[in-house]
Amino acid sequence: MTQWRLVAAAVLGLLLGTGGATAQAPATTYIQAGRLLADPASGRVLSAHTIVVRDGRIVGIEEGYVGEGQGEVVDLRDSFVLPGLIDSHVHICHENGPNDRVRRTVQTAADLAVDGAHYARITLEAGFTTVADMGEENDAIFAVRDGIARGRIPGPRIVAAGNALSPHGGPGDPAGYRPDVGHTLRRPSLCSGADDCRRVVRETIHRGADHIKITATGSVLADLASGLGQQFTDEEMRAIVEAAHALGRRVTAHAHDAAAINAFLRAGGDSIEHGTNLDSESVRLFRERGAWLVPTLLAGETVGRWANDPNGFLSPAVRDKALLVGPRMIESARLAHAGGVRIAFGTDSSVSRHGENAREFALLVRAGLTPLEAIQTATVNAADHLGLSALIGSISPGKAADIVAVRGDPTADVTVLERISFVMRDGRVYRR
Ligand SMILES: [Zn+2]
């Protein structure tokens, strides 16, 4: 092709592109909602309203049932409609089970990504339109996140930490393996000393992390009898928070014991995962710093159940920790909630099964939250916690069209959220 023909073809393409866009009005969807909790912060439930959606965004909420003959109509007149749910703590690429040790030696990052695609679809269909992944192999989780964002695979919007930071010998350092095998399984996110930890934070963000996750204490499922106390030093935690904030990333800490929770909050950390043994000083610090607690009660319940199973697969070291943590988490969430700590919804799904995330709501209610407060944790609160309030968390003009529906009234009985009947993410319907 000659030069001018190339230019002419390009110009024609531009014209056709522009002409096509103007000739074709953007598709509008009208969601007719019998009852509508558009703004969980206010708690106001509207009757007989229509949500107007265009190009993946909410463009309006109108009184009455409108839209017939003007675009696609979604009839949810018999349903309760609310914003897409948000889970701020999942590990979308795997599920824990009896074969974990073998799984980790055979599964490649590609295998993890394929499983991640599978669990992402299940999670979306359960009504969770956004999740935060709190620790997974970089290559796997970033591929799943980006594949969903590009529309290649169905799933929730994902914000991802990549590999979680752990001290050498800590929860992220594979335990219970032959030394050479354990060494091979190590991820590049172990660090010791402030400088080394700063380096890992910068490399993790450089690799693609949306936020930073650290394991400040021992963990239940690490196959080591080394407790649930503080493992990163105060100095390491200060260095991590400083390095992450300098690059515009939030930092959250997996933390069980109070000393570590308090040290991390004093270091300027943004949120705590689990918070199992938090105390009154923690409550004071959470409030003073405006930090978030993500209680993950479903994980506590799940490991407690495994530990009490006489045919269970937990090693003695893990079982002892699980027996402590299971019942304790719910009491800590109760203490935090009563003390006015801001709570965001998170399940640690991978411990519990993906798609069962909504079981957390009933546990939050058991910890003293009202059903509406429990719904707020998974909508407005989680959006705020993840820094995504401009995009998600409520049904209001300008935000992403992330919308779910249930039969029944979740402000009266939160367990109806375990049976989601309609899911839209970014204006696209994934369950009807
Ligand atoms: Zn976790």
Side-chain angles (χ1 to χ4, degrees), residues 352-412:
S352 55
R353 305 193 63 182
H354 294 288
E356 296 185 359
N357 315 53
R359 288 179 54 214
E360 180 81 11
F361 287 109
L363 297 171
L364 288 166
V365 169
R366 213 189 292 167
L369 281 72
T370 65
L372 176 63
E373 286 172 335
I375 293 168
Q376 287 167 344
T377 69
T379 51
V380 277
N381 291 14
D384 192 352
H385 159 52
L386 297 175
L388 296 173
S389 289
L391 186 67
I392 55 174
S394 66
I395 298 176
S396 48
K399 289 198 183 181
D402 290 5
I403 295 163
V404 299
V406 287
R407 303 276 161 77
D409 181 354
T411 64

Side-chain angles (χ1 to χ4, degrees), residues 89 91 213 348:
H89 189 143
H91 303 270
K213 155 84 180 296
D348 212 353

Side-chain angles (χ1 to χ4, degrees), residues 20-67:
T22 46
Q24 202 176 15
T28 304
T29 304
Y30 298 85
I31 302 171
Q32 301 177 338
R35 278 169 299 167
L36 172 62
L37 178 65
D39 174 20
S42 76
R44 201 153 69 96
V45 179
L46 307 168
S47 298
H49 276 63
T50 302
I51 308 161
V52 185
V53 171
R54 195 176 298 137
D55 290 337
R57 296 283 174 139
I58 294 154
V59 294
I61 298 174
E62 295 186 24
E63 237 175 281
Y65 296 132
V66 303

Side-chain angles (χ1 to χ4, degrees), residues 89-91 134 213 254 274 348 350-351:
H89 189 143
V90 304
H91 303 270
M134 283 299 164
K213 155 84 180 296
H254 153 113
H274 316 307
D348 212 353
S350 71
V351 179

Side-chain angles (χ1 to χ4, degrees), residues 23-357:
Q24 202 176 15
T28 304
T29 304
Y30 298 85
I31 302 171
Q32 301 177 338
R35 278 169 299 167
L36 172 62
L37 178 65
D39 174 20
S42 76
R44 201 153 69 96
V45 179
L46 307 168
S47 298
H49 276 63
T50 302
I51 308 161
V52 185
V53 171
R54 195 176 298 137
D55 290 337
R57 296 283 174 139
I58 294 154
V59 294
I61 298 174
E62 295 186 24
E63 237 175 281
Y65 296 132
V66 303
E68 304 292 347
Q70 299 173 57
E72 195 202 348
V73 172
V74 177
D75 180 354
L76 296 174
R77 297 180 188 193
D78 63 351
S79 300
F80 189 108
V81 178
L82 66 160
L85 304 172
I86 304 164
D87 189 330
S88 351
H89 189 143
V90 304
H91 303 270
I92 204 78
C93 294
H94 74 271
E95 276 181 358
N96 291 104
N99 297 322
D100 269 348
R101 188 171 290 172
V102 173
R103 178 180 64 77
R104 292 178 71 178
T105 61
V106 297
Q107 235 177 358
T108 64
D111 295 326
L112 283 166
V114 170
D115 282 358
H118 173 70
Y119 294 131
R121 183 180 51 75
I122 291 172
T123 302
L124 177 62
E125 287 173 355
F128 287 81
T129 48
T130 301
V131 300
D133 194 279
M134 283 299 164
E136 194 55 82
E137 206 164 310
N138 289 341
D139 284 343
I141 186 60
F142 296 149
V144 174
R145 174 194 65 187
D146 298 346
I148 290 168
R150 292 204 317 273
R152 299 290 179 146
I153 49 173
R157 176 183 300 99
I158 295 180
V159 289
N163 284 318
L165 271 73
S166 160
H168 289 89
D173 205 347
Y177 296 91
R178 218 173 72 182
D180 54 337
V181 175
H183 191 81
T184 304
L185 293 174
R186 274 185 168 176
R187 291 176 181 176
S189 54
L190 301 180
C191 64
S192 294
D195 279 344
D196 194 33
C197 291
R198 277 192 201 94
R199 174 186 62 79
V200 172
V201 168
R202 292 175 187 135
E203 285 180 353
T204 306
I205 294 169
H206 181 256
R207 180 65 189 81
D210 299 306
H211 54 258
I212 291 294
K213 155 84 180 296
I214 75 166
T215 50
T217 68
S219 91
V220 174
L221 294 181
D223 192 8
L224 272 182
S226 52
L228 297 169
Q230 184 171 340
Q231 295 199 359
F232 270 127
T233 65
D234 291 10
E235 194 198 5
E236 286 165 335
M237 291 199 278
R238 279 195 300 270
I240 288 167
V241 170
E242 215 177 79
H245 284 178
L247 295 172
R249 298 300 193 280
R250 291 163 190 249
V251 191
T252 193
H254 153 113
H256 290 295
D257 279 0
I261 293 169
N262 300 349
F264 182 70
L265 293 175
R266 283 194 200 99
D270 300 289
S271 49
I272 295 286
E273 314 293 319
H274 316 307
T276 311
N277 293 319
L278 58 82
D279 60 13
S280 54
E281 172 65 359
S282 318
V283 170
R284 195 189 66 74
L285 284 163
F286 269 112
R287 293 189 55 168
E288 180 189 284
R289 310 286 167 124
W292 292 91
L293 172 67
V294 182
T296 69
L297 304 177
L298 186 52
E301 194 243 27
T302 305
V303 296
R305 192 158 34 77
W306 287 346
N308 285 306
D309 178 356
N311 303 314
F313 60 89
L314 301 184
S315 72
V318 172
R319 192 181 307 122
D320 289 349
K321 290 182 283 185
L323 286 170
L324 282 175
V325 162
R328 183 67 213 142
M329 269 186 184
I330 210 154
E331 294 313 315
S332 298
R334 188 189 311 282
L335 180 67
H337 175 251
V341 174
R342 304 203 289 174
I343 293 177
F345 186 102
T347 58
D348 212 353
S349 288
S350 71
V351 179
S352 55
R353 305 193 63 182
H354 294 288
E356 296 185 359
N357 315 53

